[in-house]
């Protein structure tokens, strides 16, 4: 017997006193269209047989100062309404047959809510969501073999147990400042996203099935046609390419070290402004930073609503990789913030990646050609005294490590390969300032 193909819809909205009960009632109406309710449960009461009377009573009792949830259940399908301090979140599960039968109703509900109070929404295969977002090895064993799990990247969880590093998956739901960044079948974005990623970047994203603009600055994006063919090599590439183009994984990560790969786009923020640089090849297709020969720069001033855009061909200079200039010591500096606490190898993969990556920056720069390039890595205190220099040296066997200096709260050395030299400085994360901490991990 072929298992039922399951879909899910998630919608996050602003919570306001005048809209929370209306949204709860609308959620319950759509739920009764999509399911044949069997049970009802809330954060106030235990699971019990569903009746419309009890549901209405629970909806009427929602208090605008309360945090909680409601659930309606049919077999293993659960629809949930969650009310937090500042947001409302609705989650629906249903079969593909139900979706096909009620597609116009579902899409009308989703698009109407997004245009009124919406922050973010998506629709996707339940199977795809679980594959890309299940960290627990025990939970993954319910849908994946232990042999396949053995091949997946691992990190340590908050309690020290080994879990799967879902940051590496294209459909991972990454949370940044209350916003969800993911890549799946269909996604909807509101203006709340455009302070982190310019709206124009969403509109110009390449290799997607469809982009639709709705009222109130809402954008809808469909990546591919069939949500259940997400495991095809082509569709997985579409998911990853979409994620790369928007730069989700360089905004933040929760595995301590990042993805250890080059960005396709970079962002810089101040209190009232946003600057983005997109990297493209000679065909104006998104590409890794070091391969770029075409650049799209966007500047937003949120205080004055001023927007400037520039497109240019060329090559990157050294300051594009080392943006801070220390005139007093004739150095160009970049920095990384990492936490090897979560890694299984004491951070060796991350250290070797960043050292090799920045030592091998090939970028002409007449103005700063005699300046020393320096990579500053901010780590928790304990990793300054436990730096795996010998293991890193073995891994990077063609690089020589010289001028090793240790003192309280600081470790420095030079990585040298032929004519190339990189000053590496490890510093205590306690020294970070608000101006430097632009990575949101």
């Amino acid at each position: 017997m072929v298992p039922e193909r399951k879909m899910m819809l998630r919608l996050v909205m602003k919570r306001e006193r005048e809209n929370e009960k209306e949204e709860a009632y609308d959620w319950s109406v759509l739920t009764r269209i999509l399911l044949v309710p069997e049970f009802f449960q809330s954060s106030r009461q235990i699971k019990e047989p569903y009746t419309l009377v009890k549901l209405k009573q629970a909806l009427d009792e929602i208090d605008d100062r309360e945090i909680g949830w409601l659930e309606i259940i049919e077999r293993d399908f659960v629809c949930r309404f969650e009310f937090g301090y500042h947001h409302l979140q609705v989650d629906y599960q249903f079969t593909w047959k139900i979706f096909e039968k009620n597609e116009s109703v579902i899409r009308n509900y989703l698009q109407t809510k997004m245009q009124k109070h919406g922050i973010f929404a998506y629709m996707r295969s339940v199977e795809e969501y679980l594959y890309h977002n299940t960290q627990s090895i025990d939970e993954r064993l319910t849908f994946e073999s232990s042999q396949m799990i053995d091949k997946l990247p691992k990190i340590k969880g908050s309690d020290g147990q080994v879990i799967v590093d879902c940051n590496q998956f294209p459909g991972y739901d990454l949370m940044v400042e209350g916003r969800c960044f993911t890549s799946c079948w269909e996604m909807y974005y509101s203006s709340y996203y455009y302070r982190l990623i310019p709206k124009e970047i969403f509109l110009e994203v390449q290799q997607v099935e469809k982009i639709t603009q709705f009222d109130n600055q809402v954008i809808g994006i469909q990546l591919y046609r069939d949500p259940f063919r997400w495991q095809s090599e082509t569709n997985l590439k579409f998911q990853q390419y979409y994620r790369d183009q928007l730069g989700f994984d360089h905004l933040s990560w929760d595995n301590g070290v990042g993805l250890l790969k080059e960005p396709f786009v970079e962002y810089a923020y101040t209190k009232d402004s946003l600057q983005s640089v997109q990297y493209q090849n000679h065909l104006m297709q998104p590409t890794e930073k070091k391969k770029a020969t075409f650049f799209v720069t966007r500047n937003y001033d949120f205080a004055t609503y001023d927007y400037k855009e520039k497109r240019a061909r060329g090559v990157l200079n050294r300051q594009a990789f080392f943006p801070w200039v220390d005139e007093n010591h004739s150095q160009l500096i970049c920095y990384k913030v990492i936490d090897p606490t979560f890694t299984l190898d004491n951070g060796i993969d991350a250290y070797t990646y960043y050292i090799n990556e920045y030592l091998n920056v090939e970028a002409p720069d007449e103005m700063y050609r005699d300046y020393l390039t320096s990579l500053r890595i901010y780590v928790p205190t304990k990793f300054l005294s436990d730096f795996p220099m010998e293991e890193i040296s073995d891994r990077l066997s063609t690089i020589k490590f010289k001028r090793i200096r240790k003192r309280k709260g600081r470790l420095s050395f030079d990585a040298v390969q032929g004519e190339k030299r990189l000053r590496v400085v490890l510093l205590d994360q306690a020294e970070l300032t608000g101006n430097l901490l632009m990575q949101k991990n």
Side-chain angles (χ1 to χ4, degrees):
M1 183 176 178
V2 179
E4 291 182 297
R5 298 187 297 175
K6 298 179 183 178
M7 289 289 295
M8 63 180 289
L9 182 158
R10 174 164 293 171
L11 168 64
V12 180
M13 298 174 283
K14 293 180 292 182
R15 181 180 185 180
E16 298 171 349
R17 182 174 297 181
E18 62 271 17
N19 81 316
E20 58 187 16
K21 289 197 175 181
E22 175 190 348
E23 301 301 354
Y25 277 103
D26 289 351
W27 162 80
S28 70
V29 171
L30 183 58
T31 299
R32 295 200 301 277
I33 293 174
L34 301 178
L35 301 185
V36 178
E38 296 177 337
F39 297 97
F40 170 74
Q41 187 173 4
S42 76
S43 49
R44 288 184 171 189
Q45 63 196 85
I46 62 173
K47 183 177 178 181
E48 58 183 293
Y50 171 91
T51 68
L52 189 56
V53 172
K54 288 183 179 180
L55 174 62
K56 287 183 175 179
Q57 181 181 349
L59 296 176
D60 290 337
E61 290 176 353
I62 293 177
D63 187 291
D64 59 21
R65 295 179 298 274
E66 185 180 2
I67 305 298
W69 50 268
L70 310 169
E71 287 185 347
I72 296 175
I73 304 157
E74 178 199 352
R75 292 179 294 155
D76 55 348
F77 290 89
V78 179
C79 292
R80 181 182 176 96
F81 181 87
E82 178 182 306
F83 37 104
Y85 284 109
H86 304 293
H87 78 280
L88 302 172
Q89 179 170 312
V90 297
D91 287 282
Y92 294 94
Q93 293 182 9
F94 40 85
T95 66
W96 181 246
K97 287 183 180 178
I98 293 293
F99 175 79
E100 289 181 311
K101 180 180 178 182
N102 299 280
E103 181 174 359
S104 61
V105 174
I106 293 169
R107 290 192 180 281
N108 179 264
Y109 169 83
L110 190 156
Q111 293 164 13
T112 300
K113 297 304 182 185
M114 277 298 301
Q115 292 170 75
K116 288 180 66 176
H117 305 290
I119 297 173
F120 175 75
Y122 60 57
M123 288 194 291
R124 65 205 298 183
S125 154
V126 170
E127 181 186 42
E128 180 268 317
Y129 170 80
L130 291 174
Y131 183 86
H132 286 136
N133 289 278
T134 303
Q135 296 180 319
S136 165
I137 291 176
D138 287 342
E139 291 178 16
R140 292 191 76 92
L141 285 169
T142 63
F143 60 82
E144 191 173 28
S145 70
S146 58
Q147 291 80 7
M148 295 301 295
I149 294 173
D150 288 343
K151 299 176 184 179
L152 299 177
K154 311 292 194 309
I155 55 174
K156 294 178 185 175
S158 56
D159 58 359
Q161 84 280 19
V162 176
I163 59 175
V164 173
D165 182 9
C166 292
N167 287 268
Q168 311 294 329
F169 299 155
Y172 179 51
D173 284 13
L174 178 69
M175 300 302 299
V176 182
E177 297 186 0
R179 301 165 180 86
C180 176
F181 292 87
T182 195
S183 177
C184 62
W185 180 50
E186 285 193 13
M187 297 147 290
Y188 296 80
Y189 302 92
S190 72
S191 58
Y192 285 90
Y193 278 75
Y194 309 148
R195 275 193 168 250
L196 290 179
I197 297 178
K199 181 181 179 182
E200 288 76 11
I201 293 183
F202 284 104
L203 291 173
E204 293 182 10
V205 70
Q206 298 185 26
Q207 290 193 9
V208 299
E209 184 67 24
K210 182 168 57 177
I211 301 175
T212 307
Q213 290 194 69
F214 301 98
D215 292 337
N216 203 21
Q217 299 194 65
V218 173
I219 296 173
I221 298 175
Q222 186 183 86
L223 283 191
Y224 39 80
R225 294 183 183 179
D226 184 348
F228 300 104
R229 295 197 69 247
W230 64 273
Q231 283 184 306
S232 76
E233 184 177 351
T234 299
N235 286 342
L236 284 172
K237 285 182 178 178
F238 283 158
Q239 276 189 272
Q240 187 60 62
Y241 194 48
Y242 176 80
R243 196 176 190 99
D244 289 339
Q245 289 180 73
L246 291 165
F248 294 165
D249 301 306
H250 290 274
L251 288 176
S252 182
W253 55 77
D254 51 25
N255 64 357
V257 298
L259 293 193
L260 310 184
K261 59 188 287 188
E262 287 187 76
F264 283 55
V265 58
E266 290 185 300
Y267 304 100
Y269 306 93
T270 66
K271 180 181 178 182
D272 292 314
S273 68
L274 159 62
Q275 182 185 69
S276 66
V277 182
Q278 292 168 268
Y279 303 113
Q280 300 180 348
N281 61 22
H282 66 288
L283 298 175
M284 299 183 190
Q285 297 168 330
T287 191
E288 295 94 336
K289 183 175 181 177
K290 284 185 177 180
K291 296 178 181 177
T293 56
F294 193 85
F295 311 93
V296 183
T297 304
R298 307 176 194 272
N299 289 278
Y300 284 81
D301 188 316
F302 298 115
T304 63
Y305 301 103
D306 185 41
Y307 168 64
K308 295 178 180 177
E309 180 182 305
K310 181 181 179 182
R311 298 171 185 261
R313 293 187 184 276
V315 293
L316 294 172
N317 59 24
R318 288 206 298 169
Q319 201 175 356
F321 296 90
F322 300 91
W324 285 273
V325 181
D326 181 351
E327 300 284 5
N328 293 330
H329 299 92
S330 297
Q331 289 188 21
L332 296 178
I333 302 167
C334 71
Y335 82 96
K336 294 293 173 183
V337 183
I338 69 173
D339 185 354
T341 303
F342 302 101
T343 66
L344 304 183
D345 66 349
N346 205 26
I348 293 172
D349 278 350
Y351 292 131
T352 54
Y353 171 83
Y354 288 122
I355 292 170
N356 190 61
E357 181 72 10
Y358 284 95
L359 176 63
N360 287 292
V361 168
E362 301 287 351
D365 199 320
E366 287 299 317
M367 183 177 294
Y368 299 111
R369 62 182 177 181
D370 296 323
Y371 277 49
L372 178 66
T373 52
S374 177
L375 168 63
R376 294 184 179 179
I377 304 176
Y378 290 86
V379 297
T381 307
K382 65 178 181 178
F383 292 101
L384 289 172
S385 58
D386 190 26
F387 185 73
M389 179 66 78
E390 184 175 343
E391 293 91 336
I392 292 171
S393 181
D394 289 342
R395 186 83 66 86
L396 300 174
S397 58
T398 62
I399 297 174
K400 295 180 180 180
F401 294 88
K402 301 180 178 181
R403 295 173 51 88
I404 299 173
R405 304 282 190 273
K406 291 184 179 181
R407 65 174 189 262
K408 186 177 181 181
R410 184 184 182 98
L411 167 66
S412 67
F413 55 87
D414 285 359
V416 182
Q417 189 177 51
E419 299 293 320
K420 296 178 290 188
R421 179 182 297 268
L422 176 71
R423 175 72 46 82
V424 180
V425 183
L426 276 87
L427 298 160
D428 194 326
Q429 281 188 6
E431 295 188 27
L432 280 171
T433 67
N435 290 332
L436 279 177
L437 193 53
M438 291 167 59
Q439 288 176 338
K440 301 181 185 299
N441 55 308

